[in-house]
C-alpha cells in the first residue's frame, strides 16, 4: 500500500484549485459546495492508500471531483424534493395543459419510424429491459440501444419547444 506524495498533492492543489472548483461548480451550481467538494477530494487523497501508483493524478482528481459533484447534486435534489413537496392544487387549466402535452407527445411517438416506436414502447412505456425487448423483436441488444438512442434524439428535436410541467 502506498500513499500519494503530499508535496505533489499540495502543489497540484495550489496550481489547479480554481480550475477544479469551476469544474465542480459546473455540476453543483453553488460556489461553497464546489469548494467543499474539491477540498474533500484532497482530504480523501491524503488519507487513501493505493495498491499501485496512480498514473495520471490530474485526471484521477478531475474524475473524482466530477463524481463527487454528481453525488452532491443528487443528494441536494433529494433533499429539495422532500423539503419542498407541496401537492399541486388541481385546476382546469393545468389539466388542459397536461392533456395537450400528452396528446402532442403521443402524436410524436406515433410519427416515429416503426422500429423506433416499437423499441420505445417496449423499453420506456412498458419498462422492459433491453435484453427482453431484443428477444421480443428478434434483434440484438445493441440494435435496441441504437433505436432507443435514435428515438430520444428525434423526440428531443421535435419536442424542443414543449415545456413539460
Amino acid at each position: 500500500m502506498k500513499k500519494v506524495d503530499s508535496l505533489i498533492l499540495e502543489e497540484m492543489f495550489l496550481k489547479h484549485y480554481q480550475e477544479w472548483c469551476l469544474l465542480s461548480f459546473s455540476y453543483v451550481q453553488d460556489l461553497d459546495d464546489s469548494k467543499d467538494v474539491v477540498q474533500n477530494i484532497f482530504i480523501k487523497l491524503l488519507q487513501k492508500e493505493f495498491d499501485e501508483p496512480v498514473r495520471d493524478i490530474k485526471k484521477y482528481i478531475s474524475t473524482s471531483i466530477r463524481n463527487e459533484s454528481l453525488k452532491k447534486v443528487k443528494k441536494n435534489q433529494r433533499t429539495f424534493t422532500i423539503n419542498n413537496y407541496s401537492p399541486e392544487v388541481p385546476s382546469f387549466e393545468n389539466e388542459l395543459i397536461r392533456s395537450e402535452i400528452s396528446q402532442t407527445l403521443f402524436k410524436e411517438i406515433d410519427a416515429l419510424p416503426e422500429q423506433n416506436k416499437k423499441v420505445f414502447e417496449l423499453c420506456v412505456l412498458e419498462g422492459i429491459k433491453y435484453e427482453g425487448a431484443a428477444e421480443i423483436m428478434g434483434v440484438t441488444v445493441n440494435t435496441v440501444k441504437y433505436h432507443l438512442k435514435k428515438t430520444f434524439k428525434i423526440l428531443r428535436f421535435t419536442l424542443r419547444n414543449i415545456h413539460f410541467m
Side-chain angles (χ1 to χ4, degrees):
M1 299 286 196
K2 185 178 178 185
K3 289 190 174 193
V4 178
D5 185 12
S6 60
L7 292 176
I8 292 173
L9 280 179
E10 182 180 352
E11 183 181 312
M12 291 191 79
F13 181 82
L14 294 172
K15 185 176 180 183
H16 299 286
Y17 178 73
Q18 289 181 330
E19 171 188 341
W20 285 324
C21 284
L22 288 173
L23 172 65
S24 179
F25 181 81
S26 70
Y27 294 101
V28 297
Q29 301 296 311
D30 183 88
L31 189 58
D32 291 331
D33 283 348
S34 64
K35 288 178 181 179
D36 288 344
V37 166
V38 173
Q39 291 167 6
N40 288 339
I41 292 297
F42 275 88
I43 290 169
K44 287 179 184 177
L45 280 174
L46 287 169
Q47 296 170 345
K48 186 172 182 168
E49 293 185 3
F50 295 91
D51 293 333
E52 53 189 68
V54 178
R55 293 179 193 200
D56 186 355
I57 190 72
K58 186 176 180 191
K59 185 175 180 181
Y60 180 88
I61 292 170
S62 295
T63 302
S64 298
I65 289 170
R66 179 185 57 116
N67 292 341
E68 199 64 32
S69 297
L70 290 171
K71 285 180 192 174
K72 187 132 188 114
V73 167
K74 196 171 191 177
K75 181 183 175 197
N76 288 348
Q77 284 175 341
R78 271 187 268 151
T79 305
F80 180 79
T81 303
I82 291 168
N83 291 341
N84 294 319
Y85 176 73
S86 61
E88 186 180 308
V89 177
S91 73
F92 179 73
E93 268 183 9
N94 288 342
E95 290 303 316
L96 185 61
I97 291 170
R98 251 189 225 102
S99 173
E100 287 176 6
I101 290 173
S102 292
Q103 287 174 356
T104 304
L105 181 59
F106 283 111
K107 185 180 98 191
E108 292 301 329
I109 292 170
D110 282 338
L112 290 169
E114 198 57 42
Q115 288 283 81
N116 296 42
K117 180 178 168 183
K118 181 74 174 164
V119 168
F120 185 83
E121 288 172 348
L122 290 172
C123 293
V124 177
L125 300 179
E126 295 178 24
I128 297 174
K129 295 185 186 247
Y130 294 159
E131 293 82 15
E135 193 174 306
I136 290 169
M137 295 180 65
V139 295
T140 66
V141 173
N142 284 339
T143 303
V144 169
K145 290 179 184 179
Y146 167 78
H147 285 298
L148 200 55
K149 181 180 175 183
K150 186 176 174 186
T151 300
F152 283 127
K153 187 176 180 181
I154 291 168
L155 290 176
R156 266 194 307 275
F157 179 76
T158 58
L159 299 171
R160 69 187 176 279
N161 295 325
I162 304 294
H163 300 285
F164 296 96
M165 297 173 64

